[in-house]
């Protein structure tokens, strides 16, 4: 198998169209098509379905895509390690959801800046994520893989969520033996018209008629409301397990989501960007038990 063919495969998979991929990498579409066919022959697998909307990965193509991205990351790692320290200067703007930015990046980013003091970090941690396609951010940690744009995206980590409450609330509230009892409880959650991603609609997965009666656009504010004994609500485990006094109210309720690491493809190969991507990936590996509620 030719690594150059794999790079062409990645370009087509990310662009979704043969012509767009060919233009992006400076080759003609006929050559790209021929080399994709050569790769399929070598693997004895069909990698793309040709649809009116473009090239869509098959199951075998999706499996190869994940493996090829790991190979690409390893190759980029070799380049990062060889980059002279003098190149590690300049600004990095990172956009992340409020919870991830404030609870995962913020407490640890000093480790990165101490190692690279000439790099300036702008951390935008808010309700909503800036768009790397429009160059609003250099790096984004998103709740879903973007469907379009000149972007490189890969799954950063899965994470777990659970129902949390303060013991004082549980002691004074109605019986809570199962999800069916939640209708009689004070629920804390998001303001419906401020939910910026469908992945944040947690309560509907527990019960179709459940609605929050105390609502905030801020996940950190929700955590504080729950910790004050006002009600119960769904929190990421990396928040709920870290807030003093909170407990899992119904351990059988388990929700799982994913964070995706997204960067504009033109920024790959820039030393400070690649070094931060590698640092964040390594940090998440160390924090995986916390992310999955096993910390």
């Amino acid at each position: 198998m030719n690594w150059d063919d794999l790079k062409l495969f990645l370009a087509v998979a990310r662009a979704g169209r043969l012509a767009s991929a060919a233009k992006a990498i400076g080759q003609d579409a006929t050559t790209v098509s021929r080399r994709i066919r050569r790769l399929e022959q070598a693997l004895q697998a069909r990698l793309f379905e040709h649809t009116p909307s473009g090239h869509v990965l098959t199951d075998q193509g999706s499996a190869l895509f994940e493996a090829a991205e790991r190979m690409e990351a390893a190759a980029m790692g070799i380049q990062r390690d060889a980059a002279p320290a003098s190149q590690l200067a300049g600004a990095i703007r990172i956009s992340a959801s409020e919870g991830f930015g404030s609870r995962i990046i913020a407490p640890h980013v000093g480790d990165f800046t101490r190692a690279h003091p000439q790099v300036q970090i702008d951390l935008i941690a808010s309700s909503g994520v800036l768009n790397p396609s429009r160059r609003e951010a250099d790096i984004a940690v998103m709740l879903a893989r973007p469907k379009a744009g000149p972007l490189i995206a890969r799954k950063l980590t899965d994470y777990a969520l659970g129902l949390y409450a303060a013991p004082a609330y549980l002691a004074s509230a109605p019986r809570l033996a199962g999800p069916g009892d939640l209708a009689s409880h004070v629920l804390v959650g998001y303001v419906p018209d401020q939910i910026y991603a469908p992945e944040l609609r947690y309560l509907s997965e527990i019960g179709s008629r459940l609605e929050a009666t105390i609502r905030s656009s801020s996940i950190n504010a929700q955590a504080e409301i729950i910790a004050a004994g006002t009600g119960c609500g769904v929190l990421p485990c990396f928040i709920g397990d870290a807030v003093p006094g909170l407990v899992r109210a119904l351990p059988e309720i388990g929700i799982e989501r994913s964070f995706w690491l997204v960067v504009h493809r033109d920024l790959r190969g820039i030393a400070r960007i690649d070094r931060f991507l590698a640092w964040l990936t390594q940090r998440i590996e160390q924090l995986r038990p916390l992310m999955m509620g096993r910390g």
Side-chain angles (χ1 to χ4, degrees):
M1 188 188 310
N2 188 316
W3 168 239
D4 288 335
D5 288 347
L6 281 177
K7 289 194 287 187
L8 291 179
F9 163 76
L10 285 172
V12 175
R14 288 163 177 161
R17 292 184 177 275
L18 194 69
S20 299
K23 182 178 180 180
I25 60 180
Q27 296 200 25
D28 65 88
T30 301
T31 299
V32 174
S33 177
R34 173 174 53 80
R35 292 177 65 177
I36 291 296
R37 288 198 303 272
R38 182 174 73 181
L39 181 61
E40 289 180 323
Q41 291 169 0
L43 297 173
Q44 297 184 348
R46 183 170 183 145
L47 302 176
F48 294 100
E49 293 288 348
H50 302 256
T51 72
S53 60
H55 281 56
V56 178
L57 288 169
T58 63
D59 290 343
Q60 295 111 317
S62 294
L64 179 62
F65 183 77
E66 292 184 7
E69 281 202 314
R70 289 194 295 269
M71 294 172 65
E72 181 187 54
M76 295 298 294
I78 294 172
Q79 294 180 14
R80 286 191 296 266
D81 293 341
S86 60
Q87 291 184 16
L88 295 176
I92 306 175
R93 173 168 283 204
I94 304 141
S95 176
S97 64
E98 180 200 15
F100 187 92
S102 63
R103 303 281 181 159
I104 300 301
I105 296 180
H108 303 286
V109 73
D111 295 341
F112 181 84
T113 56
R114 280 188 289 273
H116 309 294
Q118 296 186 65
V119 176
Q120 174 186 322
I121 299 293
D122 293 338
L123 176 59
I124 313 299
S126 60
S127 299
V129 178
L130 301 181
N131 191 337
S133 289
R134 298 195 293 266
R135 298 298 184 89
E136 295 173 341
D138 300 318
I139 297 168
V141 180
M142 307 182 75
L143 293 168
R145 184 176 199 138
K147 296 180 180 178
L151 304 170
I152 297 173
R154 61 179 175 83
K155 185 186 288 188
L156 179 60
T157 182
D158 295 323
Y159 68 100
L161 304 99
L163 185 76
Y164 287 85
Y169 169 79
L170 294 174
S172 61
R175 180 174 180 267
L176 183 55
D181 296 328
L182 285 170
S184 61
H185 280 260
V186 177
L187 298 179
V188 180
Y190 282 101
V191 180
D193 64 4
Q194 296 294 308
I195 294 177
Y196 64 90
E199 291 79 11
L200 299 178
R201 299 186 185 277
Y202 310 130
L203 290 178
S204 62
E205 293 190 23
I206 302 172
S208 59
R209 296 187 177 183
L210 291 178
E211 293 184 2
T213 52
I214 300 178
R215 308 183 298 197
S216 173
S217 61
S218 164
I219 191 65
N220 286 328
Q222 292 176 41
E224 293 302 321
I225 293 168
I226 297 168
T230 308
C232 57
V234 175
L235 296 172
C237 292
F238 64 82
I239 295 178
D241 290 348
V243 175
L246 285 183
V247 297
R248 290 286 290 268
L250 293 174
E252 67 268 29
I253 292 179
I255 299 172
E256 190 170 298
R257 294 288 190 267
S258 301
F259 284 121
W260 291 81
L261 191 57
V262 182
V263 62
H264 196 288
R265 68 186 177 203
D266 290 349
L267 298 180
R268 291 304 301 269
I270 296 176
R272 66 181 184 277
I273 301 295
D274 290 343
R275 192 68 61 88
F276 187 87
L277 294 173
W279 171 83
L280 182 57
T281 300
Q282 182 182 38
R283 178 62 68 181
I284 287 296
E285 285 298 321
Q286 296 168 345
L287 297 176
R288 195 166 300 279
L290 176 67
M291 304 301 295
M292 299 308 299
R294 301 188 295 266

